[in-house]
């Protein structure tokens, strides 16, 4: 049994700060609890006693003789701690702290004091700075929002109070039933992950909608979300899509990983469906809370207009709905109900002359056909299109088949059509004037189903030599650095088993020549200095050196130019490296994200990486399949599987490199960021080369 049971099913609720003044929040909450028909006992608490909304008031919580599972606290911030102490004495289980004026305005100390006292005394805290909680299980509306809430099977968790309160009203207008709505506010104790854990095993909740602004314990959230979405659809609206750089991290990987891009990839990895707009999210909720499982993987479009059918096909592509494609089967199923000049190819085009009866007939076929997983039924107003007849058919078919196969409808036209849509929507029929809205609902359902059916990943230990890597880190720390020099970073790669170009560091010309001969011409040379970050700007790089003389000249020129460019630089030597053959340049990275813990990155690399922004992220761990899936996410993926007769590239070795950098970040807590750019990828079987590798250390000392 979850420890939040009595938050959702309290036997008794005290309202500390219940007010006699109907204009105050403390009155409103008591009134809402009463109006909502709460099935437990309510205890308004106010030192002045008397009656509030007709209920006897206790002057103190100590006066309540029955169980109080929840205390809603709605008194000014400076009095809250005292109230919490009195709740502890009374053995209250959950505190719902409405009061503002804590960490959201910088008063974190008081908030921490309250939470720590509450936890020490066996109480959990929801809030502070919230509008409260609604739970249909006991008809508890302990909020100061609207009174009229339709009970149902959608649960909403919201970080924003204003949006949450508005959503209560909006769900009523949209006829969406709620099993709960919970405001998390400052999330001082109970957060989204706690609530998800409870709601996922909550029978009355069929799907969960979350509005979030920021993630606190992202690593836990990833685990909880991945579990939750196996059982129920979770839709998220997260604001801050455009707030690029808000979480700019120290490394290049960080600068690419505006927090929202990371969030977007990771919640997708967890099987969460992200909505752009509140209205879209609510449409999905309404549909997902009511729709049966698809009867199969692909949909059939039935339409009276070619254009709208094409739009629907486009929308299917956008939202990941595949279309049933067996032309012979389609012909044999729909041939009898489509005129000769129509089409049985999917979209099934009944043509502009289609009547209500034609729709009735073809819908019946689609809904009975075991090959058809779901149906998209479209109508365009034409001379013979009778909106009333059509809506009658829709109503009949939807009622008859709603427990059998998902169906969405879209009709487009004038006043009669719009009126028909309005009437049907009131009865929760998924009908829309815009075909994209209809298809997006189906897309959300398929997206959830795909994730729920996918096998739970298993992880194998990735072999890296953490001891050798630790040695390199200590060496850098000893030298007072928070980053590794290029050759040290290469050694880390070798210790992890990622191929790097052969290289050695030379401190004088004869050694440089010897190294070059050992590696084999042509070679590249790079200055080694902690004081020179931008090597090429300082003239610290020479490429394609073919013989001894060129190495001698390059050595002199590098030292001369670097000294002129950064006069006080301490130069440790010059790195002589194998010239790397050209291949596909990718970028592979890993870092410890502030929200999500260890994350890995993969994308198209090279010098245009920031312009192309063709990168993707995953919370780590992932397994080999996850790494391959990640690679398939980027737009440039076709380059890796070979275009225009090119051979397939060594994607398996890239997948290993992704897993290895993730493992380094996980196992070596001193390393905060790794970026390999480029990781040059060769043809299948020929491996990769980590050319430039940047490794940053955490700023705390070892
Ligand atoms: N125990 C019980 N009742 C107490 C009390 C105590 N220790 N201390 C005061 N009260 C009573 C008061 O006498 C008053 O009752 P009355 O109106 O009958 O006299 C009632 O509790 C409320 O106290 P009051 O001091 O009038 O506070 P308030 O109603 O002006 O404001 C809050 C209290 C919590 C609403 C306010 O501090 C606040 O935080 N507002 C913002 C809430 C918010 O927006 N939350 C986020 C939403 S998303």
């Amino acid at each position: 049994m979850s420890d939040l049971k009595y938050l959702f099913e309290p036997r008794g609720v005290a309202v500390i700060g219940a007010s006699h003044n109907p204009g105050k929040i403390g009155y409103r909450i008591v009134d809402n609890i009463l109006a909502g028909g709460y099935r437990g006992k309510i205890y308004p608490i106010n030192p002045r006693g008397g009656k509030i909304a007709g209920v006897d008031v206790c002057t103190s919580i100590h006066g309540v003789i029955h169980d109080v599972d929840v205390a809603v606290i709605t008194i000014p911030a400076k009095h809250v701690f005292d109230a919490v102490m009195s709740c502890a004495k009374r053995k209250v289980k959950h505190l719902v702290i409405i009061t503002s004026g804590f960490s959201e305005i910088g008063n974190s100390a008081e908030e921490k004091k309250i939470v720590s006292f509450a936890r020490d005394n066996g109480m959990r805290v929801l809030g502070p700075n919230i509008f409260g909680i609604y739970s249909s299980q006991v008809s508890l509306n302990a909020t100061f929002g609207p009174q009229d809430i339709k009970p149902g099977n959608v649960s909403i968790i919201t970080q924003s109070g204003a949006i949450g309160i508005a959503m209560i009203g909006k769900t009523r207008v949209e006829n969406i039933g709620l099993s709960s709505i919970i405001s998390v506010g400052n999330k001082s104790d109970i957060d989204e992950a706690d609530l998800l854990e409870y709601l996922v095993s909550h029978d009355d909740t069929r799907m969960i909608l979350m509005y979030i602004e920021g993630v606190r314990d992202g690593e836990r959230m990833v685990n909880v979300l991945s579990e939750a979405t196996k059982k129920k659809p979770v839709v998220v609206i997260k604001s801050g899509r455009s707030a690029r750089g808000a979480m700019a991290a120290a490394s290049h990987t960080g600068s690419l990983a505006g927090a929202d891009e990371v969030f977007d990839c990771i919640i997708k990895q967890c099987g969460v469906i992200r909505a752009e707009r509140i209205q879209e999210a609510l449409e999905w909720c309404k549909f997902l809370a009511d729709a049966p499982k698809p009867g199969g993987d692909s949909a059939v479009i039935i339409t009276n207009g070619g254009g709208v059918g094409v739009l629907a096909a486009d929308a299917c592509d956008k939202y990941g709905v595949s279309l049933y494609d067996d032309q012979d089967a389609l012909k044999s199923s729909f041939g009898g109900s489509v005129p000769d000049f129509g089409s049985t190819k999917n979209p099934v085009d009944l043509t502009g002359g289609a009547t209500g009866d034609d729709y009735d007939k073809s819908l019946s076929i689609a809904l009975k056909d075991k090959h058809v997983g779901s149906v998209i039924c479209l109508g365009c107003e034409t001379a013979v299109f009778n909106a009333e007849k059509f809506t009658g058919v829709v109503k009949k078919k939807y009622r008859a088949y709603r427990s059998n196969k998902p169906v969405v409808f879209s009709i487009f036209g004038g006043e009669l059509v719009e009126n028909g849509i309005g009437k049907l929507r009131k009865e929760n029929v998924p009908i829309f004037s815009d075909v994209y809205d209809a298809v997006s609902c189906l897309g959300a359902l398929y997206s959830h189903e795909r994730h729920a059916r996918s096998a739970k990943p298993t992880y194998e230990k990735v072999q890296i030599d953490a001891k050798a890597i630790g040695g390199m880190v200590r060496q850098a720390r000893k030298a007072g650095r928070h980053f590794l020099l290029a050759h040290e970073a290469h050694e880390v790669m070798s210790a992890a088993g990622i191929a790097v170009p052969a290289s050695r560091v030379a401190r004088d010309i004869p050694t440089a020549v010897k190294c070059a001969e050992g590696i084999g011409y042509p070679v590249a040379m790079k200055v080694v200095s902690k004081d020179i970050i931008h090597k090429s700007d300082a003239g610290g790089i020479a490429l394609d050196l073919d013989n001894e003389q060129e190495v001698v000249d390059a050595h002199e020129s590098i030292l001369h130019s670097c000294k002129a460019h950064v006069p006080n630089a301490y130069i440790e030597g010059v790195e002589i490296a194998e010239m790397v053959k050209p291949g596909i340049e990718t970028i592979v990275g890993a870092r410890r994200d502030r929200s999500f813990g260890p994350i890995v990155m993969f994308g198209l690399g090279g010098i245009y990486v920031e312009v192309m922004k063709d990168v993707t992220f995953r919370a780590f761990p992932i397994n080999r399949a996850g790494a391959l899936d990640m690679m398939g996410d980027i737009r440039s993926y076709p380059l890796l599987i070979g275009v225009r007769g090119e051979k397939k590239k060594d994607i398996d070795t890239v997948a290993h490199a992704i897993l290895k950098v993730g493992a380094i970040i996980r196992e070596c807590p001193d390393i905060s960021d790794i970026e390999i750019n480029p990781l040059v990828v060769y043809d299948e079987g020929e491996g990769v080369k980590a050319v430039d590798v940047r490794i940053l250390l955490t700023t705390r000392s070892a």
Side-chain angles (χ1 to χ4, degrees):
M1 188 200 305
S2 163
D3 68 349
L4 297 188
K5 176 179 160 68
Y6 287 112
L7 176 64
F8 287 84
E9 301 170 45
R11 293 158 298 181
V13 173
V15 181
I16 300 179
S19 171
H20 295 86
N21 178 346
K24 286 194 176 180
I25 287 178
Y27 179 92
R28 188 71 192 260
I29 291 178
V30 174
D31 197 37
N32 275 4
I33 294 176
L34 293 170
Y38 171 49
R39 291 199 282 274
K41 295 255 185 262
I42 172 167
Y43 308 105
I45 314 288
N46 185 303
R48 289 164 52 197
K51 275 183 189 286
I52 292 175
V55 181
D56 287 333
V57 171
C58 295
T59 53
S60 145
I61 193 164
H62 302 297
V64 179
I65 48 166
H66 301 288
D67 286 322
V68 178
D69 293 324
V70 167
V72 181
I73 300 181
T74 172
I75 53 177
K78 61 179 187 291
H79 301 306
V80 170
F81 186 70
D82 287 344
V84 170
M85 286 202 292
S86 63
C87 289
K89 285 201 188 114
R90 203 45 212 77
K91 300 265 178 272
V92 170
K93 290 186 174 60
H94 299 284
L95 304 170
V96 172
I97 306 180
I98 305 288
T99 311
S100 302
F102 293 96
S103 62
E104 82 282 7
I105 56 154
N107 186 9
S108 304
E110 186 70 5
E111 187 173 299
K112 280 195 186 128
K113 185 171 113 182
I114 290 169
V115 173
S116 129
F117 178 85
R119 296 301 305 253
D120 287 349
N121 286 276
M123 298 185 287
R124 299 291 311 262
V125 179
L126 185 66
N129 189 29
I130 58 173
F131 64 76
I133 178 169
Y134 163 79
S135 171
S136 70
Q137 255 174 309
V138 286
S139 289
L140 173 69
N141 180 4
T143 75
F144 59 85
Q147 294 193 336
D148 188 12
I149 305 181
K150 183 185 169 192
N153 49 18
V154 175
S155 268
I156 301 177
I157 302 171
T158 172
Q159 194 172 353
S160 158
I163 287 183
I165 292 178
M167 266 196 201
I168 299 180
K170 186 70 177 162
T171 52
R172 194 69 194 92
V173 173
E174 295 288 341
N175 209 15
I176 297 173
L178 300 181
S179 50
S180 65
I181 179 160
I182 314 111
S183 165
V184 287
N186 297 2
K187 305 190 239 186
S188 67
D189 174 24
I190 296 174
D191 63 8
E192 291 95 345
D194 295 309
L195 294 165
L196 275 167
E197 268 179 347
Y198 174 80
L199 292 171
V200 88
S201 53
H202 186 234
D203 290 342
D204 290 355
T205 295
R206 214 175 149 198
M207 66 139 313
I208 299 156
L209 169 65
M210 299 204 291
Y211 171 85
I212 37 187
E213 285 168 3
V215 180
R216 204 182 53 177
D217 181 357
E219 267 186 276
R220 175 160 173 249
M221 186 82 153
V222 166
N223 291 333
V224 174
L225 273 175
S226 306
E227 289 291 324
T229 50
K230 285 270 169 212
K231 299 186 182 118
K232 295 178 183 177
V234 178
V235 172
V236 161
I237 312 166
K238 179 184 168 286
S239 53
R241 213 180 245 285
S242 64
R244 243 159 225 249
M247 282 178 65
S251 75
H252 193 199
T253 314
S255 66
L256 274 172
D260 195 69
E261 283 87 342
V262 176
F263 177 89
D264 204 57
C265 293
I266 291 179
I267 56 155
K268 203 165 127 212
Q269 175 187 0
C270 298
V272 172
I273 320 158
R274 182 173 184 179
E276 291 258 6
R277 296 170 288 117
I278 298 179
Q279 186 61 35
E280 178 181 56
L282 292 175
E283 296 298 359
W284 292 353
C285 288
K286 196 168 170 177
F287 183 68
L288 292 168
D290 199 41
K293 281 185 185 306
D297 288 340
S298 49
V300 156
I301 300 172
I302 296 172
T303 180
N304 69 344
V308 75
V310 175
L311 279 174
D314 287 347
C316 286
D317 188 56
K318 173 172 170 161
Y319 293 108
V321 177
S322 51
L323 291 176
Y324 185 53
D325 215 19
D326 183 333
Q327 298 304 325
D328 291 340
L330 282 161
K331 196 165 185 184
S332 101
S333 296
F334 294 98
S337 52
V338 171
D340 293 344
F341 49 91
S343 169
T344 58
K345 292 180 180 154
N346 200 1
V348 174
D349 188 353
L350 308 178
T351 75
T355 62
D357 290 339
D358 295 327
Y359 272 106
D360 198 353
K361 202 169 156 195
S362 39
L363 264 173
S364 298
I365 295 167
L367 291 165
K368 279 182 194 146
D369 189 330
K370 65 177 181 347
H371 301 296
V372 174
S374 56
V375 184
I376 300 161
C377 180
L378 313 173
C380 257
E381 195 169 22
T382 62
V384 295
F385 182 87
N386 181 327
E388 274 182 13
K389 189 104 197 266
F390 180 88
T391 49
V393 171
V394 166
K395 204 165 151 179
K396 186 173 104 189
K397 288 291 158 212
Y398 188 66
R399 288 242 169 96
Y401 289 95
R402 62 190 278 186
S403 58
N404 162 316
K405 198 173 276 187
V407 198
V408 290
F409 301 91
S410 170
I411 44 172
F412 187 60
E415 203 180 336
L416 283 177
V417 165
E418 284 298 321
N419 288 345
I421 292 175
K423 274 188 206 145
L424 288 171
R425 283 183 60 83
K426 281 206 173 79
E427 299 186 37
N428 281 9
V429 174
I431 183 163
F432 306 85
S433 51
D434 190 321
V435 63
Y436 272 72
D437 290 336
V439 176
S440 89
C441 288
L442 213 50
L445 179 66
Y446 273 113
S447 164
H448 166 67
E449 288 297 325
R450 274 192 297 270
H451 177 78
R453 284 202 315 252
S454 64
K456 220 174 147 184
T458 51
Y459 305 104
E460 279 168 25
K461 171 126 177 81
V462 180
Q463 293 301 334
I464 58 164
D465 187 346
K467 218 169 136 198
I469 296 171
M472 237 83 74
V473 168
R474 275 193 297 281
Q475 197 173 300
R477 292 265 194 227
K478 227 164 130 190
R481 282 184 272 116
H482 290 306
F483 61 91
L484 300 193
L485 294 172
H487 68 281
E488 293 169 333
H490 272 173
E491 284 176 47
V492 168
M493 292 296 103
S494 301
I498 300 173
V500 291
S503 79
R504 273 157 235 170
V505 176
R507 288 191 170 72
D508 52 38
I509 291 178
T511 325
V513 171
K514 220 166 122 195
C515 291
E517 275 161 10
I519 289 167
Y521 293 108
V523 293
M525 289 172 69
K526 292 177 206 166
V527 68
V528 180
S529 168
K530 69 175 171 42
D531 303 318
I532 301 174
I533 308 289
H534 301 292
K535 295 188 187 81
S536 31
D537 295 353
I541 295 185
L543 301 174
D544 271 322
L545 308 169
D546 280 325
N547 53 48
E548 179 179 345
Q549 192 52 50
E550 286 188 15
V551 169
V552 172
D553 293 348
H555 195 280
E556 276 171 2
S557 141
I558 285 175
L559 291 192
H560 179 77
S561 158
C562 286
K563 276 182 187 155
H565 206 268
V566 190
N568 296 325
Y570 172 70
I571 295 176
E572 298 191 25
V574 175
E575 184 188 354
I576 321 293
E578 160 198 347
M579 270 305 295
V580 174
K581 280 190 297 161
I584 303 289
E585 297 198 343
T586 61
I587 182 168
V588 167
R591 70 184 166 94
R592 211 170 295 283
D593 185 80
R594 275 203 282 173
S595 296
F596 292 103
I599 62 167
V600 285
M601 177 188 76
F602 172 76
L604 186 69
I607 54 170
Y608 299 122
V609 65
E610 278 177 271
V611 182
M612 301 307 291
K613 287 198 164 55
D614 191 12
V615 291
T616 187
F617 304 86
R618 293 288 186 280
F620 197 79
I622 49 172
N623 58 15
R624 187 178 158 276
L628 290 172
D629 178 68
M630 184 177 181
M631 290 158 72
D633 254 13
I634 66 163
R635 296 190 303 278
S636 319
Y637 182 62
L639 296 180
L640 292 167
I641 45 170
V643 282
R644 292 173 169 256
E646 283 176 353
K647 283 192 182 154
K648 187 180 172 190
K649 306 299 161 203
D650 204 337
I651 54 175
D652 258 337
T653 312
V654 180
H656 274 116
I658 296 172
L659 299 184
K660 293 211 177 235
V661 293
I664 299 174
I665 286 288
R666 230 158 94 110
E667 290 180 41
C668 308
D670 278 295
I671 296 181
S672 63
D673 298 71
I674 303 173
E675 185 189 290
I676 313 173
N677 185 20
L679 176 86
V680 180
V681 187
Y682 300 111
D683 289 349
E684 197 165 25
E686 291 177 21
V688 301
K689 281 270 160 81
V691 178
D692 274 329
V693 184
R694 296 216 266 163
I695 297 186
L696 302 183
L697 305 183
T698 52
T699 41
R700 68 181 172 75
S701 46

